[in-house]
Amino acid sequence: MCGVGMKAFWSCGIDTRSFMQSGNVILSVTPPADAPVGRYSLSVELGTGSAVKESLVVLFNPWCKEDWVYLPDEKERQEYVMNEHGIIYRGTAHSFGPMHWEFGQFEEEMVDICLELLDLNPKHKRDPDDDVSARCNPIYISRVISAMINSNDDMGVLVGRWDNNYQDGTCPTRWLSSVRILQQWYKNSCRAVKYGQCWVFAGVMCTVMRFFGIPCRVVTNFESAHDTNSSLTIDEYFDDYGLKPMGGSDSIWNFHVWVEGWMTRPDLNKGGRYDGWQVLDPTPQERSDGVFCCGPAPVFAVLQGDTNLKYDVPFVFSEVNADIVKWMIKADGTKKRMKYLTNTSRVGQNISTKAVGSFNRLDITDTYKYCEGSAIERVAYDNAVRRVNSQDGSALHGTCEVIEVQMVEMSLEEEKYYRNSQDIKLNLKLSNRDRDMKTLSISLNAQATNYTRTQAQNILHNQFVKNLPPGQVVNIPILIPYSAYCKYAVTHDSMKVSVNACDSEGEFYQTDTNLALEDPPISIKEVNIEMKTVCLLQVLGEARVNQPMTIVVEFENPLNETLRSCFLTVTGSGIFRNEHIESNERALPANGTLKLIITTTPYRAGLRTIVADFDCSAFKDIKASCIVEVKP
């Protein structure tokens, strides 16, 4: 599995920094590039007949050209291996933002935690020798990690849950860091931690991958399809009250988060064509070779529609480039395909990751798919369908169809941002291209949903009739008051607004949009603190290792009502040895300001990120962050 791995030799020599006269000897030990990762025992026999025994840990080496994870660019190595902090994007395709996440791959106990994760995987339990010998292969290791981050088949790290019932664990939106999750799993006899959702699974996997030396980054795909049957199409169902989730069927998520790992793919025998970034997804969605894991799927294979390659390329291709077919569920339960509403461009938008060396967003959509509407994109899609449907890849398929002109067009026009606690305003635009008057029976719906759109609570439902003169455009303002959605704001993270219409000839029309509401802001400031009797003197200045510093957290209540059950969590690698929790302020009066002062002592130098989470009765897990330079 590792090629010439077991034929290569280790080398050992005396380091030039040794002080032989004083009896201090520094040994330089060099493992071969394809040595299995893990803990090794080192025994040194002395001339006196005694021996010194130590242990060392071998990791993948992205600085080594012979290693399968070699990454040529030093700035990328610093970002994708060494950086302990990152950004995960969440929201909707038209309204999304960054969430800071602490990977903490160099924090205490990470060596023991990550090696234990490998030793607990079912393959190791079945055949330890075979498993350990395969650990020289990052393809194998990344697949094991993908399976072990979720707990569906094994003693994995996280339990996934999406039903808003988190009383016996931690709500997924509360997490700020991989460190606490991995430490909790390890300290509790490797019992799965409750609960995670896609960005949590991905954040934890990125930590483990970077620990082992595999370059890794977290990626968010907006309008992400979940194709349950490898058809490369997604069926969406609507009734008079909006989106109608169908249990066990295909779905489209507002966003989905996975990771990419950097490695070569000699197993595909294509001369390096598929080397580079590989999709890996630890969120338990579908089984791969009988196990809840996904990947590594070469990103270039997804781009080209090479769905005959391993691992799980058809599933990833659907996530970013499936076609959508919309259906109307009638009152009698029958369904009708909406004639004009097959959508080839909506799935897979604004695919995002953190940029190298900055907190900017890097759009990598063009690495997954060609430009929507281009001929080459349709060629890639046809290629993908053909390879999925034919074992030898010879079956013919085409998606080119004669496009009929739609006489009535509907669209929902949005404002750029919407803030939780405020009314929502949209505009419904109706255009009649026909030469005749159109009479439309219109159903307007607003639903509170979660990001996977598997739960939908009706917020607003209006029905009315509108006459459209020939060749005219009609604008209809839509208002969704805060009072209509406030009770769902804590348990649902987005809103779907849909409009269904039917003309006098029985033809259906539909448009919809997904809204993510911005949370009120938290302000975080970093100051130095000097103790003088019982007074605190706040002085702006430098943060230094082993010297006290203070974090000031402020939150302003935007509502004319008291916020209850206020709960604050603050974390930061190198800043807090343990996650700091402050929950003394149980209630915040209407329009009041919460200001908390937290003292801590940094223990590691460098650029550090402090992340805060505020939770209360009206707002769910509002995040904020602050960058701090800690000097030695």
Side-chain angles (χ1 to χ4, degrees):
M1 203 166 206
C2 299
V4 298
M6 303 315 294
K7 297 179 181 179
F9 293 97
W10 293 59
S11 63
C12 182
I14 297 177
D15 193 276
T16 56
R17 293 170 294 177
S18 299
F19 297 95
M20 304 295 290
Q21 297 82 355
S22 61
N24 294 323
V25 179
I26 300 175
L27 292 179
S28 176
V29 180
T30 305
D34 52 4
V37 298
R39 195 189 304 273
Y40 289 74
S41 296
L42 176 67
S43 178
V44 180
E45 294 185 2
L46 305 177
T48 58
S50 60
V52 177
K53 293 185 178 181
E54 292 291 341
S55 66
L56 57 87
V57 175
V58 174
L59 307 173
F60 294 107
N61 186 356
W63 282 263
C64 175
K65 291 183 179 180
E66 288 74 33
D67 200 302
W68 287 10
V69 303
Y70 172 65
L71 185 61
D73 189 280
E74 174 61 19
K75 291 181 180 179
E76 292 185 346
R77 290 193 293 254
Q78 291 300 317
E79 180 67 50
Y80 299 134
V81 180
M82 303 301 292
N83 197 350
E84 293 184 78
H85 179 80
I87 285 177
I88 301 175
Y89 291 91
R90 301 186 303 168
T92 68
H94 305 295
S95 178
F96 57 86
M99 180 188 74
H100 289 262
W101 186 269
E102 287 294 314
F103 298 121
Q105 65 267 32
F106 303 124
E107 286 294 302
E108 296 178 3
E109 300 180 301
M110 280 299 158
V111 172
D112 294 334
I113 291 170
C114 293
L115 293 180
E116 182 75 0
L117 185 144
L118 292 188
D119 288 343
L120 287 178
N121 92 80
K123 296 179 181 180
H124 182 76
K125 292 183 177 181
R126 287 194 300 267
D127 190 337
D129 291 340
D130 186 62
D131 171 74
V132 170
S133 67
R135 292 183 184 181
C136 55
N137 186 341
I139 302 169
Y140 176 82
I141 287 290
S142 62
R143 197 158 167 80
V144 167
I145 295 171
S146 174
M148 287 298 296
I149 298 302
N150 69 74
S151 61
N152 286 48
D153 306 296
D154 41 48
M155 296 180 66
V157 176
L158 275 164
V159 179
R161 193 158 196 168
W162 285 265
D163 62 0
N164 291 323
N165 183 16
Y166 310 119
Q167 288 83 354
D168 60 337
T170 299
C171 178
T173 55
R174 182 70 53 83
W175 299 114
L176 304 169
S177 164
S178 304
V179 177
R180 183 182 164 203
I181 295 170
L182 288 165
Q183 288 178 342
Q184 183 176 325
W185 173 75
Y186 185 68
K187 291 176 181 178
N188 291 338
S189 302
C190 301
R191 290 196 297 270
V193 178
K194 302 176 180 179
Y195 291 102
Q197 291 178 1
C198 68
W199 68 92
V200 185
F201 286 105
V204 175
M205 182 165 182
C206 188
T207 295
V208 179
M209 293 278 282
R210 289 186 181 183
F211 167 81
F212 279 112
I214 304 174
C216 187
R217 62 187 184 185
V218 178
V219 172
T220 302
N221 176 42
F222 294 95
E223 293 294 312
S224 188
H226 182 174
D227 181 12
T228 59
N229 58 7
S230 297
S231 66
L232 308 191
T233 61
I234 303 296
D235 293 318
E236 275 195 326
Y237 298 90
F238 293 82
D239 62 13
D240 287 339
Y241 291 87
L243 179 69
K244 185 175 179 63
M246 307 290 281
S249 66
D250 298 340
S251 60
I252 298 176
W253 297 10
N254 288 348
F255 67 92
H256 182 50
V257 184
W258 55 72
V259 303
E260 290 177 356
W262 179 275
M263 64 194 72
T264 60
R265 292 300 302 271
D267 58 317
L268 299 180
N269 298 318
K270 298 294 183 179
R273 176 181 173 87
Y274 299 104
D275 295 350
W277 291 116
Q278 314 286 319
V279 173
L280 293 144
D281 191 350
T283 301
Q285 297 180 91
E286 303 292 333
R287 293 185 184 273
S288 173
D289 292 341
V291 178
F292 278 105
C293 67
C294 181
V299 173
F300 187 71
V302 177
L303 175 70
Q304 298 297 114
D306 294 336
T307 50
N308 57 318
L309 300 178
K310 59 184 181 182
Y311 295 89
D312 310 305
V313 175
F315 185 78
V316 179
F317 184 91
S318 285
E319 288 183 303
V320 300
N321 209 12
D323 287 355
I324 300 173
V325 178
K326 294 186 178 183
W327 301 81
M328 187 68 186
I329 305 296
K330 299 181 180 180
D332 60 4
T334 60
K335 64 181 182 180
K336 178 179 180 180
R337 179 171 173 170
M338 298 185 187
K339 181 177 179 181
Y340 303 104
L341 295 176
T342 297
N343 193 312
T344 64
S345 62
R346 188 177 119 199
V347 167
Q349 299 184 38
N350 297 320
I351 303 176
S352 304
T353 190
K354 178 184 177 296
V356 173
S358 77
F359 289 100
N360 296 326
R361 182 180 75 92
L362 177 65
D363 192 303
I364 56 173
T365 308
D366 61 356
T367 67
Y368 281 87
K369 57 197 295 190
Y370 292 105
C371 181
E372 292 289 0
S374 66
I376 194 171
E377 185 274 332
R378 283 292 91 185
V379 169
Y381 183 87
D382 286 346
N383 183 46
V385 173
R386 183 177 66 251
R387 292 179 182 274
V388 164
N389 293 334
S390 173
Q391 292 184 353
D392 61 5
S394 62
L396 297 177
H397 179 80
T399 58
C400 296
E401 299 177 359
V402 176
I403 300 175
E404 298 182 56
V405 177
Q406 188 172 359
M407 291 296 100
V408 175
E409 288 188 348
M410 301 195 306
S411 63
L412 284 165
E413 298 176 336
E414 308 170 24
E415 296 179 354
K416 190 171 183 180
Y417 300 106
Y418 293 102
R419 174 163 291 181
N420 193 349
S421 75
Q422 297 178 354
D423 295 345
I424 296 172
K425 298 177 182 178
L426 303 98
N427 179 63
L428 173 60
K429 183 178 180 180
L430 304 174
S431 302
N432 183 4
R433 293 183 173 184
D434 206 342
R435 297 179 178 180
D436 300 321
M437 173 78 72
K438 290 286 186 180
T439 300
L440 298 181
S441 298
I442 298 174
S443 176
L444 168 66
N445 306 283
Q447 298 165 289
T449 66
N450 58 357
Y451 80 100
T452 62
R453 303 183 196 165
T454 53
Q455 299 178 12
Q457 299 291 333
N458 292 329
I459 295 172
L460 189 69
H461 174 67
N462 288 332
Q463 290 183 313
F464 54 93
V465 175
K466 194 71 177 178
N467 291 321
L468 294 183
Q472 297 295 308
V473 175
V474 175
N475 292 291
I476 302 173
I478 298 172
L479 174 66
I480 305 173
Y482 174 66
S483 58
Y485 72 84
C486 62
K487 67 178 181 179
Y488 301 109
V490 175
T491 56
H492 295 71
D493 53 26
S494 56
M495 186 182 303
K496 188 171 192 70
V497 180
S498 60
V499 180
N500 304 328
C502 182
D503 63 22
S504 56
E505 298 174 353
E507 195 62 61
F508 285 101
Y509 308 93
Q510 196 271 345
T511 188
D512 60 83
T513 189
N514 299 286
L515 309 177
L517 306 183
E518 285 192 349
D519 290 316
I522 304 179
S523 136
I524 303 181
K525 301 176 183 177
E526 169 244 330
V527 297
N528 274 1
I529 182 170
E530 179 180 336
M531 301 298 298
K532 291 187 177 181
T533 63
V534 295
C535 297
L536 295 181
L537 177 63
Q538 296 183 348
V539 181
L540 292 173
E542 297 177 339
R544 291 191 174 274
V545 172
N546 297 325
Q547 293 186 11
M549 65 175 291
T550 290
I551 314 299
V552 179
V553 183
E554 296 182 1
F555 175 75
E556 182 177 345
N557 180 2
L559 302 181
N560 294 318
E561 61 183 65
T562 299
L563 300 180
R564 306 194 182 279
S565 302
C566 299
F567 196 84
L568 177 69
T569 307
V570 183
T571 189
S573 295
I575 300 289
F576 298 97
R577 290 193 179 273
N578 297 299
E579 200 166 69
H580 183 90
I581 297 176
E582 175 67 63
S583 57
N584 293 333
E585 299 288 339
R586 301 301 296 173
L588 180 60
N591 304 119
T593 299
L594 170 65
K595 182 176 182 179
L596 295 175
I597 300 175
I598 304 169
T599 303
T600 186
T601 302
Y603 58 94
R604 288 168 60 193
L607 285 177
R608 300 289 159 190
T609 304
I610 301 164
V611 185
D613 175 279
F614 179 76
D615 188 69
C616 65
S617 55
F619 303 109
K620 194 69 174 176
D621 295 308
I622 301 172
K623 303 286 194 297
S625 63
C626 176
I627 309 298
V628 180
E629 183 180 5
V630 179
K631 296 189 176 182

